[in-house]
Amino acid sequence: FPSKGTLSSFDTVRVVVPVALNGKIPDVSGLPLEEARKKLARHHLAGLVQAYAEGKHGRVLQQFPKAGLASVENMTIKLVVGR
């Protein structure tokens, strides 16, 4: 970490990026609800239906948080399912 001041174009900067220890949230959009829940369970995540919306009946339309983000074990993924 710089002690104070600014960096010049010749200074070295080290960027530290955290690694997802429990993996990433899988994409379950477009899957039937039960298949989506099984896929989430394989990643130690839970799928909770937050809302129903117009769309293909029984299919996941959206998920929150979105796919690709770091997950935490036993995290709940909120789902919007078609009715």
Side-chain angles (χ1 to χ4, degrees):
F1 296 105
S3 57
K4 62 181 177 177
T6 60
L7 299 172
S8 76
S9 59
F10 299 102
D11 288 332
T12 301
V13 176
R14 180 184 293 184
V15 178
V16 179
V17 180
V19 176
L21 298 178
N22 197 48
K24 295 180 181 179
I25 298 171
D27 186 7
V28 295
S29 57
L31 295 177
L33 179 58
E34 286 309 309
E35 190 176 326
R37 283 184 166 157
K38 287 177 185 176
K39 186 172 185 178
L40 291 170
R42 286 194 300 270
H43 289 85
H44 305 287
L45 303 171
L48 174 69
V49 177
Q50 181 181 29
Y52 291 93
E54 292 301 318
K56 277 194 169 181
H57 178 73
R59 299 260 177 181
V60 176
L61 304 175
Q62 291 179 319
Q63 67 181 69
F64 306 99
K66 65 182 182 177
L69 296 177
S71 69
V72 178
E73 193 168 353
N74 299 321
M75 181 179 196
T76 299
I77 308 302
K78 296 175 184 171
L79 307 172
V80 177
V81 179
R83 56 178 145 129

